[in-house]
Each structure stands twice: as C-alpha cells, then as structure tokens.
C-alpha cells in the first residue's frame, strides 16, 4: 500500500513536472497533505543505459594535488561491478575527455570495461590522451568526435634521463602493456601504433603524435567518427543483439 | 606510480602547496553518491555527482551547487 502510494506520487511528480512552474506552491501543499512531508523520496525510474564520464586525470595509487580534476579508480570500479550485477542496466556509455594519468589505474578501468558482459560504447570528446587511449578502445565500439584528439606518446618518467637499465626495462614493460592492450582491442597494428608513438616533429615538447577525429579512425584505433546520437544508436543496436544472444542461450 | 599523461609534470604537481581547498567528503543522499564540500555547521554543498545513472543528474535536489542540510544525510563517510 505504502509502496503503491509512493509509486503514484513519483509518477505524479514526473508527469506533472512541466506544469510545476505554473503552480509550485499548490503541488507542495498537496504533497504535505498527502504524506505529511515535503521531501518525498523518489522512486527513481531506473535507466537502462548508464553513463560513466572519464574526465581530467585518472587517479591511481597516489592522490593528486587538489587542483587536479580527477577520475578516481575507487569510484569507477565499484560502479562497474554494480553495473555488471544489476539486471536492469543493459548498456554502458563511456564519455572520455581525459589528459591521461596513472598507467595501472587506467589499465584497470580498461580491463574492467573490456570484460564487462554488457554492451559498451565509448565516445572521445575533446581529448582522450595517453592512458585514455586504452580506455577508449576497451569498449565494444568506439566513437570519436570530429574535433576530438588523442595524443599517443611514449611512457616516460617526467622527462628525467633514465640512468639505470632496469628502470628502462620496467618502463618498457609498462609501455608494452599499454601497446598490447590497444592493439588487442582495436584494429590498429602494433607497428602503426608504435610509429605514431615514436613519431618526431609532431608534438612540441615530446615525441609522439596527436591524432584528430578522422585520423584516429583511419589508423584503425577508433571505429567511427560520431557523436552522441550515433553512439546511442549503436549502443541500442548492441543491446538488442545482446538480448537476442541471451535468449538463444536460455532456449 | 607512473603517470602516462600529456599534462606536464609541473601542472600536475605544482610547487606551492595550495591548502585553500575546503574539506570534501563523499556522502550518500537518497541513494545518490555525491562529492560534497562542508560550507558551514549545518550544510554541505554538492560538488559532483558520482553516480553512473544519468537520471540522477536530472535531479535538481542534488545538482552541483545545491545545499543539503546535515539532517537529511543518511550516512556521512569520509574519503
């Protein structure tokens, strides 16, 4: 009974939202009369598609100074676990506008996305640089906005000269992990990716390449140039396919 | 930790420690995880919505900048 009342209330609220501006006080009084309080916990209409935004720096083992805008690993991972478990969520949209960040945290998020059993689609808007590249390609299908860019450059230790061969090897292995992941999850070949990574004369302070929109698609890194509309359409298509596959399994 | 970013190191870690930041906490307000800042004794102000449900972003009670009284918060949990 109580549930029904709440349901009705939340439905009323949603239905009545456009008119809310006309008579806000009467709606409020109605609420007080009906439930004796103004703050009604809404039964949120569960969205089929959830959305994760990867912005700023990807923060890993070390908390970055507070002026950095960060995407925290410990926020995203539990959300992905919840998305995987919740049967009501059918698809995930990943929106990237990141400058990069921690290698291990970035790869962790990428692996989680790549192994998620539900359809995933990513859009690179603005920028998906450095460790944002594996995250972008980890999804089932990836989009890049026409104006968006992705910087591909080698992993290095803050521009310092590497003195010990072991350090170099460690960095090289770290880089290999990124390269392997990207080549495994996208259509780019290792050779092309490394060519882009070690290209000279493209970036002012670094070696590497800045690929913009269509170039990312041409190199095979990203699947298609597009924005929100295309990405949602693709995600819905993938969700339909996923549903049919599951049906087949049950029968 | 190795940072793989196109941001220069000096921008990520500036020299002068800027301690002007207010205390931020993660709270759960009616099932919506929020990053909030303490404004005064009674209220917190929403900085960021951490939920992945796009509907939560349409909720005007928790839009960034909204103030929430301590009394309405279920559980305050520190970062």
């Amino acid at each position: 009974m109580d549930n029904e009342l709440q349901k009705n209330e939340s439905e009323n609220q949603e239905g009545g939202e456009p008119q809310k501006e006309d008579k806000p006080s009467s709606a409020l009084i109605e609420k007080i009369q009906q439930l004796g309080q103004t703050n009604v916990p809404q039964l949120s209409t569960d969205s089929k598609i959830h959305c994760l935004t990867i912005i700023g720096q990807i923060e890993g083992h070390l908390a970055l100074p507070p002026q950095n805008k960060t995407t925290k690993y410990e926020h995203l991972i539990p959300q992905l676990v919840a998305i995987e478990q919740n049967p009501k969520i059918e698809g995930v949209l990943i929106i990237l506008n990141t400058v990069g960040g921690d290698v291990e945290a970035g790869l962790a998020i990428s692996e989680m996305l790549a192994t998620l059993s539900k359809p995933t689609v990513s859009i690179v808007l603005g920028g998906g640089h450095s460790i944002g590249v594996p995250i972008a390609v980890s999804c089932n299908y990836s989009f890049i906005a026409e104006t968006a860019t992705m910087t591909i450059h080698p992993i290095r230790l803050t521009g310092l000269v590497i003195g010990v061969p072991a350090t170099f090897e460690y960095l090289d292995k770290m880089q290999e992990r990124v390269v392997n992941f990207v080549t495994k999850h996208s259509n780019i070949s290792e050779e092309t990716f490394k060519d882009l990574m070690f290209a000279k004369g493209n970036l002012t302070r670094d070696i590497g390449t800045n690929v913009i929109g269509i170039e990312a698609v041409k190199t095979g890194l990203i699947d298609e140039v597009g924005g929100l509309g295309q990405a949602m359409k693709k995600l819905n298509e993938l969700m339909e396919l996923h549903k049919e596959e599951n049906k087949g399994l049950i029968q | 930790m190795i940072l793989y970013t196109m941001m220069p190191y000096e921008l990520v870690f500036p020299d002068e420690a800027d301690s002007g930041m207010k205390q931020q906490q993660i709270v759960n307000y009616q099932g919506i995880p929020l990053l909030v800042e303490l404004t005064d004794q009674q209220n917190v102000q929403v900085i960021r919505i951490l939920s992945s449900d796009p509907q939560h972003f349409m909720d005007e009670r928790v839009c960034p900048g909204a103030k929430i009284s301590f009394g309405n918060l279920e559980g305050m949990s520190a970062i």
Side-chain angles (χ1 to χ4, degrees):
Chain A
M1 181 67 198
D2 269 356
N3 276 346
E4 231 174 73
L5 201 72
Q6 279 189 339
K7 222 184 227 170
N8 282 342
E9 184 59 30
S10 69
E11 268 167 24
N12 282 348
Q13 256 188 357
E14 271 174 26
E17 224 149 65
Q19 295 156 9
K20 212 174 166 188
E21 277 174 11
D22 297 333
K23 38 177 185 176
S25 59
S26 67
L28 196 68
I29 288 166
E30 205 178 17
K31 238 186 255 174
I32 295 170
Q33 281 170 343
Q34 279 183 352
L35 294 151
Q37 60 178 21
T38 57
N39 202 1
V40 185
Q42 277 180 317
L43 287 176
S44 65
T45 45
D46 284 319
S47 181
K48 277 202 298 186
I49 295 172
H50 271 219
C51 165
L52 290 172
T53 41
I54 315 266
I55 45 134
Q57 292 276 349
I58 292 157
E59 195 179 278
H61 303 300
L62 205 71
L64 296 177
Q67 90 288 352
N68 287 286
K69 196 169 230 185
T70 57
T71 297
K72 288 179 208 290
Y73 164 90
E74 67 270 31
H75 292 168
L76 283 189
I77 302 291
Q79 277 178 342
L80 284 168
V81 174
I83 288 168
E84 175 70 36
Q85 284 184 318
N86 190 342
K88 283 178 187 157
I89 303 168
E90 291 172 19
V92 193
L93 185 71
I94 312 294
I95 296 181
L96 287 128
N97 193 358
T98 176
V99 289
D102 188 82
V103 173
E104 311 230 295
L107 282 178
I109 295 167
S110 308
E111 288 285 5
M112 289 289 277
L113 283 169
T115 51
L116 195 78
S117 72
K118 291 171 185 181
T120 48
V121 169
S122 64
I123 322 178
V124 179
L125 292 169
H129 309 285
S130 317
I131 201 71
V133 177
I135 298 179
V137 302
S138 68
C139 294
N140 296 132
Y141 204 83
S142 52
F143 282 93
I144 184 165
E146 222 177 304
T147 51
T149 68
M150 301 178 93
T151 310
I152 300 155
H153 63 98
I155 296 180
R156 62 214 154 353
L157 273 180
T158 67
L160 294 173
V161 177
I162 300 162
V164 188
T167 319
F168 174 75
E169 260 174 39
Y170 178 65
L171 275 178
D172 204 41
K173 274 185 190 158
M174 208 74 156
Q175 192 160 281
E176 218 39 50
R177 287 159 78 185
V178 174
V179 174
N180 284 343
F181 187 91
V182 172
T183 49
K184 201 176 152 195
H185 292 269
S186 71
N187 297 324
I188 199 166
S189 67
E190 190 176 334
E191 204 189 345
T192 321
F193 191 65
K194 282 198 166 165
D195 279 350
L196 292 173
M197 194 177 240
F198 299 111
K200 280 177 224 156
N202 294 328
L203 301 178
T204 44
R205 291 183 55 183
D206 206 347
I207 54 172
T209 318
N210 196 5
V211 288
I212 303 169
I214 189 81
E215 286 171 51
V217 179
K218 275 182 189 159
T219 52
L221 194 60
I222 297 289
D223 293 315
E224 203 177 320
V225 173
L228 183 60
Q230 288 101 318
M232 283 307 255
K233 202 178 150 204
K234 188 74 198 175
L235 188 53
N236 281 318
E237 272 172 32
L238 290 175
M239 276 157 56
E240 281 302 313
L241 271 176
H242 185 70
K243 254 189 207 166
E244 275 168 32
E245 271 171 26
N246 275 0
K247 254 187 209 166
L249 279 179
I250 292 163
Q251 286 165 356
Chain B
M1 183 188 68
I2 291 179
L3 279 185
Y4 183 37
T5 172
M6 43 88 74
M7 281 265 262
Y9 187 76
E10 310 87 67
L11 276 180
V12 180
F13 299 99
D15 285 338
E16 71 273 24
D18 190 11
S19 55
M21 295 293 283
K22 285 188 181 166
Q23 206 191 340
Q24 293 189 341
Q25 280 188 317
I26 296 167
V27 297
N28 208 321
Y29 178 65
Q30 305 200 337
I32 309 172
L34 301 169
L35 183 68
V36 296
E37 199 172 72
L38 302 168
T39 46
D40 50 54
Q41 290 299 312
Q42 279 93 42
N43 295 301
V44 293
Q45 194 167 26
V46 179
I47 302 295
R48 206 160 129 186
I49 304 162
L50 299 171
S51 173
S52 63
D53 190 340
Q55 291 301 328
H56 289 161
F57 288 78
M58 305 301 287
D59 194 334
E60 58 185 33
R61 291 168 306 168
V62 296
C63 63
K67 280 191 176 164
I68 300 171
S69 157
F70 265 119
N72 291 331
L73 293 173
E74 292 145 26
M76 291 281 279
S77 56
I79 296 177

